[in-house]
Amino acid sequence: GFLIAVDPLPITRGGRCRVIEGYAGDPDVNERISELLQGQKLDLVLSDMAPNISGVRAVDQARAMDLADVAMQACEDWLDNGGDLAIKAFQGEGLDAWVADLKRQFSLVNMMKPKASRPESREVFVVARGFQGVNTALM
């Protein structure tokens, strides 16, 4: 196997890692991912994406939820049945509904706030196991 890393900035990589410079969800980046996969599926989608914070809570939360949707779209496009998702998310408007949608597409979904996270931080982590494919009832 190998790892595909997507980042807008240059990053250091190991030997089996392919790096795509750009933003996750951009059509050019998605095309490059598809080329690298050559029809294969992923075992894991891991997202540490976070929006640039503006200080306006409603705007920042909307941006964070957009990034969560980008990660979910990656699952729908490339995650193998039985695959997993791990994502950094932010508590606020839209997260509960987004997690409820995950529960229709994965066997097991857990949301947690690590003890190491600052108490005032809205950052949480969502781990979803056992992708069951796109739920057409949501479309």
Side-chain angles (χ1 to χ4, degrees), residues 59-81:
V59 170
D60 295 339
Q61 184 62 24
R63 289 178 179 164
M65 293 312 304
D66 286 344
L67 294 174
D69 287 341
V70 167
M72 190 61 230
Q73 186 63 53
C75 292
E76 292 172 4
D77 291 345
W78 302 298
L79 190 61
D80 202 0
N81 284 340

Side-chain angles (χ1 to χ4, degrees), residues 1-134:
F2 63 96
L3 172 71
I4 299 172
V6 177
D7 201 290
L9 301 173
I11 58 175
T12 304
R13 65 178 181 87
R16 297 191 62 89
C17 180
R18 311 300 195 283
V19 175
I20 300 172
E21 284 188 32
Y23 289 93
D26 282 355
D28 291 343
V29 169
N30 289 350
E31 182 178 329
R32 184 71 181 118
I33 292 170
S34 290
E35 289 171 1
L36 287 172
L37 288 174
Q38 299 178 356
Q40 297 178 74
K41 293 289 189 171
L42 299 172
D43 296 320
L44 172 68
V45 171
L46 173 65
S47 172
D48 189 38
M49 294 184 286
N52 291 327
I53 301 300
S54 71
V56 178
R57 191 173 191 145
V59 170
D60 295 339
Q61 184 62 24
R63 289 178 179 164
M65 293 312 304
D66 286 344
L67 294 174
D69 287 341
V70 167
M72 190 61 230
Q73 186 63 53
C75 292
E76 292 172 4
D77 291 345
W78 302 298
L79 190 61
D80 202 0
N81 284 340
D84 303 324
L85 166 69
I87 181 173
K88 176 170 54 179
F90 296 88
Q91 294 172 321
E93 182 74 29
L95 182 61
D96 289 339
W98 188 82
V99 169
D101 285 344
L102 279 186
K103 290 179 178 180
R104 289 189 277 276
Q105 297 185 58
F106 287 85
S107 305
L108 178 66
V109 178
N110 288 308
M111 183 168 45
M112 66 219 64
K113 182 173 180 70
K115 290 179 184 177
S117 182
R118 294 184 316 259
E120 67 274 8
S121 173
R122 295 181 304 117
E123 181 180 78
V124 295
F125 294 87
V126 179
V127 176
R129 310 275 328 255
F131 185 61
Q132 299 169 356
V134 177

